[in-house]
Amino acid sequence: MGNTFVFLIFRSEDHNLSPRVLYCPALLRASSKTRWGLDKLYQKPENSATFMATWDRQHCRAAQSTVCRASTIVEQSTLADGLPQASQKRLRLHNTMTKQLESVTAQAGTDNTISMYVCGPTVYDFSHIGHARVYISFDILFRFLKRLGFNVTYVRNITDVDDKIIARAQENGEDPSQLATRFTEEFRADMTALNCLPPSLEPTATSFIPQMVSSIQTIMDNGHAYASGSDVFFDVASLPGYGRLSGRSQEDNRAGERVAVNSSKRNPGDFALWKSAKAGEPSWQSPWGKGRPGWHIECSCMIRELLGPVIDIHGGGRDLEFPHHENELAQSQAAACCCDKEHMRDGTDFVHIWVHNGFVNVDSEKMSKSLGNFFTIRDVTQQYHPFVLRWFLLSSGYRAPINYTQRGLEEASERVYNVGLTLQDAQAALQDGGVEADTASQEASQELQECRGPGQQVVDEAMSAMCEDLNSAAVLAAISSPLTSLNELLYTRKGKKAAGRLKTLAGLQQGVQQSLGLLGLDMPDVPQLLQQLRQLALVRGEITEEDIQSAIEKRMTARKEKDFDAADAVRLDLMKQGIALQDSPQGTNWRPASRPNVAEDQS
C-alpha cells in the first residue's frame, strides 16, 4: 500500500473552518475523475463523511464511510507507517461575563459566520493611544477569525452625536455634524496608518435614530423604562440580574456617592434612553418630544438592526464594562421578544462572548487629559513609525494593562529595525543564490502549503499562541528563535556552510513573515520600512544625514591618529542621539538604535 491520505469533512455547525474539501498535494497527482468523485460525495446531503484515498503509481481510489458529526474540518496526511493526529485549531477567548476561556463557534444556520461588534469612537477629537490599543486588539481578532476560515461580519460604530461632540463644536463655533464628520475621517486615517483592516460595516449613530425610538418604545411597553417630562429613563430595578457583567451591585449606585443626584429619576442608577432637546443642540422628533438618544441605546439598536438579536462577540475597552456594556445588556434583554430569548445565552444575554482589552497606562498611571499624560496617535507617529506603535501595543497580551513609555517605544523601534534588516538580508541572499535559491524558495513555499518544514514549525507555534486568547506576546516571542537561526545562516561561517542552507533560509523567512501576518505586522516592502525607520530616527535625534557623515569622518580621522578616546567620544555622542555606527571592511554605516538617555519613565 502506498501513502495514505485521510480527509475529514463535517457539517458547518460549530466549526472553525469553511466547509470545503482540502486535498493533500499527493492526491492532486490523482486523476481529475477521482477528485470530482470526492467533491460529489462531499456535496451529498448527509455531508458527514470520511474520505480515504490511497495513492500509488498506478491509481488513486476513494472510499466513503459515515462518521459522527464533529466540530471542524481537518486535513490529515501521513506515510503508510501510521495515521496522524488531528491538527485542530480552535480559538478560545476570555469571556468577561464568565471569567473563563471559551471556544469561539459559529451559530447554527449562519453559514459559518461570526458576528462581532466593537464599540467605536466618539468623534470629537483626534484618537489617542488607548483607541489604538482597542482597535488593534480587535483587528488581530478579526484577522485571526478569517485565518481560521470563519466568515466574519465585523461592525464598528461611529458615535456622531454626543455631549462631548456638542460641547467641542460650541467651543469651536462649528456645526456638530461637520465636526463629527471631520474627526471620523481623521480616525479612519489613523486606523489605516496602524494597518487596521476596515470593518465590514461602520454605521453612524445618527443613521439609526428612528430604530432607536422604536426600540425605546418597546422597552417602555415591556415595563422597563419610563418617561419623565421629555426624557426617558431605563428602570434598572425592574430588570433582574442587572450588574452581572461588571459585578456592580445596586448599592454601588447610591445617589450622592458614586452617582450624581437627578430628581427626575426614580432611582439614581437609572440611565437615559432619550434626552430632551436643548437650545442649540441637534434633536429629532419622538413620542416624548424633540430630543436625542442616550449613548447606550445606539449600540443595542445598531447590533439588532445589522447583526440580529444575538451576536457571537462583543468587544471594547475595559472602561466600557460599566456603564456602557452593562446598560447595553440590560436594554437588549428588556427589548427581547420570546423568540429572541430562545437563542440568548441563559435566555437573557444577547452576547455569547464579551471581550475587553486592558488599559494603557502612562508611566504607571491611567492615561487621562486631566493628568496631562494624554497622547494622540498623531503625537506618537510624528516620531515613531505606526508599525512600531502597533508592535509595542501587541508586545503584551490584550487583556493586560500596558505601560506606555518612550523607552518602550525606543526598544520596539530598534526591534522592528532588527527584524526587518534580517528579513531583508535573507531576501538578498536568496536573490544572489541564482537558480538554486529559486528552487529552494519554491520548495519552501510548497512545504508551507503542505503544512510542514521549518517555516511551518514557526507558524504552528504562532497559531497555537493565538488560539489561546490571542497571545500576541507569545507570537512575537515565537519568532525570536527562527530569527536567530536566520542570522546564523546569514552571517556565521558555520551557517554559510550548512547543508540545505538556502531552503532553510527561505522556509524560516516565510514562516516569520506569515507569523507576523497573524498580527498585521507582515512586511511586504521591507526596504521602504527600514528607510522610514531611519528617517524617524533622524527626527528623534534632531540630526541630519550630513551631520552623521561628518561625525563618521571625524571619527575616522581620530582613529588614524590613534586618538581612540576621541573616536569613542564621537561614537557615544551619536549613540545618545539614537544613532549606532557599524564598521565593516566596506566602510562605516549607521543604523537607528535605542537612545540610552531616554529613561524608562519618560514619555
Side-chain angles (χ1 to χ4, degrees), residues 33-54:
K33 181 178 181 180
T34 296
R35 286 184 273 121
W36 176 85
L38 288 173
D39 287 334
K40 297 301 290 183
L41 286 171
Y42 167 62
Q43 290 167 10
K44 287 189 174 181
E46 54 269 26
N47 219 12
S48 297
T50 297
F51 297 98
M52 181 175 293
T54 303

Side-chain angles (χ1 to χ4, degrees), residues 334-518:
C337 62
C338 294
C339 56
D340 294 338
K341 293 177 181 178
E342 291 178 6
H343 302 286
M344 288 179 160
R345 183 165 183 154
D346 300 326
T348 57
D349 296 358
F350 76 111
V351 175
H352 286 173
I353 299 179
W354 291 91
V355 180
H356 294 95
N357 66 275
F359 291 124
V360 175
N361 298 324
V362 177
D363 301 333
S364 302
E365 291 186 296
K366 186 177 182 294
M367 185 180 69
S368 70
K369 288 184 177 180
S370 62
L371 293 174
N373 61 358
F374 177 89
F375 297 97
T376 68
I377 295 169
R378 301 290 173 91
D379 292 333
V380 176
T381 54
Q382 285 178 0
Q383 293 199 329
Y384 296 94
H385 199 286
F387 192 102
V388 170
L389 179 57
R390 185 177 180 106
W391 184 291
F392 170 75
L393 291 172
L394 291 172
S395 63
S396 296
Y398 77 92
R399 285 195 296 121
I402 188 169
N403 194 35
Y404 172 86
T405 65
Q406 193 171 354
R407 183 67 186 164
L409 282 176
E410 290 277 325
E411 292 171 352
S413 186
E414 184 171 23
R415 178 61 172 161
V416 169
Y417 193 88
N418 288 340
V419 171
L421 195 61
T422 298
L423 293 175
Q424 177 178 260
D425 289 351
Q427 185 61 37
L430 291 168
Q431 289 174 346
D432 293 342
V435 175
E436 182 185 357
D438 291 341
T439 302
S441 295
Q442 292 171 7
E443 290 176 351
S445 297
Q446 184 67 22
E447 285 186 348
L448 266 178
Q449 291 176 12
E450 298 170 7
C451 300
R452 60 189 179 88
Q456 186 61 39
Q457 293 174 14
V458 183
V459 175
D460 281 346
E461 187 172 350
M463 289 284 289
S464 295
M466 289 293 286
C467 281
E468 286 301 297
D469 204 25
L470 304 177
N471 193 342
S472 57
V475 174
L476 294 179
I479 67 170
S480 293
S481 179
L483 285 168
T484 299
S485 298
L486 280 171
N487 284 320
E488 290 174 352
L489 291 168
L490 288 167
Y491 309 124
T492 69
R493 185 175 301 176
K494 180 181 178 182
K496 290 178 180 180
K497 294 180 179 180
R501 171 179 178 264
L502 291 176
K503 183 177 175 182
T504 304
L505 201 65
L508 291 175
Q509 180 207 34
Q510 293 170 23
V512 168
Q513 282 277 35
Q514 282 201 23
S515 298
L516 289 173
L518 297 176

Side-chain angles (χ1 to χ4, degrees), residues 191-209:
M191 294 301 101
T192 299
L194 292 171
N195 198 30
C196 290
L197 299 175
S200 311
L201 298 167
E202 195 171 46
T204 58
T206 54
S207 300
F208 287 82
I209 301 294

